[in-house]
């Protein structure tokens, strides 16, 4: 009988490879000054928005446990880039997480009343309809809050739980598009606000037909330049780009 690899076990059990990096959202497992919503130190993301309508907003991130919060239909459920993030802490989903998030968002509203941007989710995904509803509530409570990110939950999914989450996210996007920029990953049914992988021939065809765009930051980091309107310009990070929260066209990422 074949022995399953660590990755195969993690996929089968729907959890991260690095269970020692899971933290509960409470002070028994978190450091005294540790936060769930962290200032971005990610080189690709950048620390601040430097272009466009959200210029000047500091960027923050939230990381949940991959697979445990993700729909199994995700094209990268098995080869999630979290498999290579052995040092990242993941926060467990649930009421404790949501209560602490609300407290932290209130503090961010106080510190950054002109606006701040939260990237959801570095790892993980929206895990319930009630969790989506919490983000809708927080957008109402905290006018400085702006959000962008990606989800593998599809509004037309076969699985009813995933479909309910996807439809709740779509409704939130339709009703709060000025501050909520969420893209549906692996979705080729929608013409707008999706994110796909360049290793899919449909994504390649869309880029070739100028119906989608390749991530400018990835191009800049791979080639040292990005061709925009005939000019070679460098796009060092997401904060200097902003297309994921300003453009409607699908974005296509080089798989990483």
């Amino acid at each position: 009988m074949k022995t399953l690899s660590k990755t195969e076990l993690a996929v089968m059990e729907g959890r991260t490879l690095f269970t020692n990096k899971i933290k509960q959202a409470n002070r028994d497992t978190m450091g005294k000054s540790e936060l769930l919503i962290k200032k971005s130190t990610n080189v690709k993301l950048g620390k601040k928005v430097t272009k466009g309508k959200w210029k000047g907003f500091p960027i923050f991130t939230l990381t949940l446990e991959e697979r445990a919060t993700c729909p199994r239909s995700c094209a990268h459920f098995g080869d999630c880039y979290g498999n290579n993030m052995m040092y990242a802490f993941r926060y467990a989903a649930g009421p404790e997480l949501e209560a602490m998030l609300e407290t932290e968002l209130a503090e961010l509203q106080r510190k950054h009343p002109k606006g701040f941007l939260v990237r959801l989710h570095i790892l993980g995904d929206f895990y319930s309809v009630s969790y989506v509803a919490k983000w809708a509530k927080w957008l109402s409570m905290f006018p400085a809050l702006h959000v962008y990110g990606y989800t593998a939950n599809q509004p037309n999914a076969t699985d009813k739980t995933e479909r309910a989450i996807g439809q709740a996210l779509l409704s939130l996007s339709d009703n709060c598009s000025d501050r909520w920029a969420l893209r549906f990953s692996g979705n080729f049914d929608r013409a707008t606000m999706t994110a796909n992988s360049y290793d899919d021939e449909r994504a390649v065809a869309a880029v070739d037909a100028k119906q989608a765009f390749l991530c400018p930051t990835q191009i800049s980091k791979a080639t040292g330049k990005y061709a925009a309107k005939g000019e070679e310009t460098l796009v060092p990070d997401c904060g200097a780009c902003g297309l994921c929260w300003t453009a409607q066209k699908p974005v296509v990422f080089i798989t990483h």
Side-chain angles (χ1 to χ4, degrees):
M1 185 176 184
K2 178 188 173 184
T3 301
L4 295 178
S5 68
K6 290 181 179 180
T7 300
E8 288 170 330
L9 276 172
V11 171
M12 184 179 70
E13 295 173 4
R15 57 167 173 79
T16 179
L17 266 171
F18 310 107
T19 53
N20 62 320
K21 291 296 181 179
I22 302 170
K23 286 190 175 186
Q24 300 297 319
N26 59 56
R27 291 301 162 201
D28 292 334
T29 58
M30 293 173 62
K32 187 176 293 186
S33 59
E34 184 177 354
L35 297 171
L36 300 172
I37 304 174
K38 303 182 188 301
K39 288 183 178 179
S40 172
T41 57
N42 187 300
V43 173
K44 181 181 180 296
L45 281 179
K47 296 180 179 180
K48 185 167 69 173
V49 180
T50 58
K51 180 181 179 180
K53 64 180 182 178
W54 294 346
K55 184 177 180 179
F57 290 4
I59 301 174
F60 296 86
T61 64
L62 174 64
T63 302
L64 304 184
E65 183 189 350
E66 71 273 29
R67 282 188 282 269
T69 57
C70 303
R72 284 189 173 268
S73 64
C74 176
H76 296 288
F77 197 83
D79 62 355
C80 175
Y81 60 81
N83 291 352
N84 300 315
M85 294 175 65
M86 64 286 294
Y87 301 115
F89 284 111
R90 290 91 162 143
Y91 296 98
E96 285 186 314
L97 175 94
E98 293 163 16
M100 191 172 287
L101 284 175
E102 185 165 316
T103 298
E104 291 187 10
L105 288 169
E107 181 62 11
L108 287 170
Q109 172 70 39
R110 186 189 69 79
K111 287 184 175 180
H112 306 286
K114 293 184 178 180
F116 61 95
L117 178 60
V118 179
R119 160 68 162 96
L120 300 180
H121 301 92
I122 300 301
L123 294 175
D125 207 328
F126 296 89
Y127 52 85
S128 69
V129 172
S130 62
Y131 178 59
V132 177
K134 287 288 172 61
W135 282 103
K137 169 190 170 185
W138 296 330
L139 285 166
S140 178
M141 289 176 64
F142 309 119
L145 171 63
H146 296 70
V147 174
Y148 94 100
Y150 313 88
T151 182
N153 290 289
Q154 307 300 337
N156 60 347
T158 301
D159 179 83
K160 65 179 183 180
T161 298
E162 178 188 344
R163 184 170 65 251
I165 295 171
Q167 290 176 352
L169 289 168
L170 183 59
S171 177
L172 182 52
S173 295
D174 288 342
N175 288 290
C176 205
S177 59
D178 57 329
R179 292 167 51 213
W180 176 268
L182 186 79
R183 290 179 178 268
F184 291 88
S185 298
N187 187 311
F188 290 92
D189 295 326
R190 294 172 53 83
T192 61
M193 294 304 287
T194 62
N196 296 304
S197 296
Y198 198 63
D199 56 4
D200 189 303
E201 61 183 19
R202 292 171 294 178
V204 175
V207 171
D208 291 343
K210 301 189 184 308
Q211 294 174 345
F213 64 93
L214 275 173
C215 168
T217 304
Q218 284 189 321
I219 295 173
S220 288
K221 292 191 180 303
T223 67
K225 62 185 179 182
Y226 172 65
K229 296 181 180 179
E231 299 177 0
E232 291 183 355
T233 57
L234 191 67
V235 184
D237 52 46
C238 297
C241 175
L243 285 178
C244 275
W245 56 83
T246 56
Q248 289 293 306
K249 274 186 180 181
V251 61
V252 175
F253 292 107
I254 301 165
T255 302
H256 57 291

